[in-house]
Amino acid sequence: METHDTTSALYVVATPLGNLDDITLRAVALLRAADLIACEDTRHSRHLLDRHGIRAPLLPLHEHNENAAAEKLVAALGAGKRVALVSDAGTPGISDPGARAIAAVRAAGHRVVPLPGPNAAIAALSAAGLPDARFLFAGFLPTKAAARRADIARLAAVPGALVFYEAPHRVAETVADLVAALEPQRTLVVARELTKLFEEIAAMPLADAPAWFAADANRARGEFVLIVSGPPPRLGIDAEAERVLALLLAELPVKQAAKLAAAIAGASKNELYQRALELKAV
Ligand code: SAM
């Protein structure tokens, strides 16, 4: 083991998303040497730990007891122990408990050491093949429809890919809301059951997504990462041209509105025509 992993600290350890072999050599060595392992669900983690002959005592740390569990972590660190933190799957603190305990540990003057590894968002992005150089990790959208739609509207113009986590019973609704609010030519990548038996990664124009899900009920099963590519470039259409176009579009057919807006605002007729089609589709 690297020498800097042998001192007392809180080690934040990423664990597999599904395939139990997806654990780093460093994570196994650290967990074997840990004095205490904080985990979301002790029964769930025991399965992974048993497989690697890891016998350290387990301390439950989940969203309902995180503050109390943090006090126990601080006490263990105060006694010079090596403490690990894992979640049920992937990286602790990423749409998972951990952040409050980590803040408390650091505030108490102890070191926090990340052991990087699996994360569903990064695994999905790595296989998405999208051209975007940037992404925004949006995690889980709100479960209430109005709040979810408002969130999507706020994210629509972010200049990069959008990455969402979603549960199977909500995936169809969320996809419908994405389709309603975002440009139809954006690409949707559905990454389902990553690293597991029924892993599936599919890319499609956003507009085709409802039909893709409707074609096979199995496509709405399992755990999901949804990625939407960044907004299409809006070259040459400034705010004034867009304003004129919107006004004319309220009164005229798309072609005529685009032609007149181009003449009035001095912008490209083709670009305004494309934009008019987008506006009409919303
Ligand atoms: N901390 C985890 C990480 O680092 O990715 C995320 C935990 S969050 C509670 C669980 C969500 O992550 C799932 O609802 C799903 O959106 C995503 N996820 C986790 N495992 C996945 C997998 N094997 N395939 C696709 N998505 C997964």
Side-chain angles (χ1 to χ4, degrees), residues 89 91 94-96 119-120 140 165-166 193-194 223-225:
T91 302
I94 310 296
S95 295
D96 258 347
N119 167 255
F140 288 99
Y165 282 170
E166 197 45 282
E193 293 289 87
L194 290 167
E223 298 197 275
F224 287 88
V225 181

Side-chain angles (χ1 to χ4, degrees), residues 132-136 154-162 186 228-232:
D132 301 272
R134 297 172 173 186
F135 69 88
L136 184 141
R154 273 192 292 271
L155 294 169
V158 167
L162 301 173
R186 291 172 80 161
V228 185
S229 63

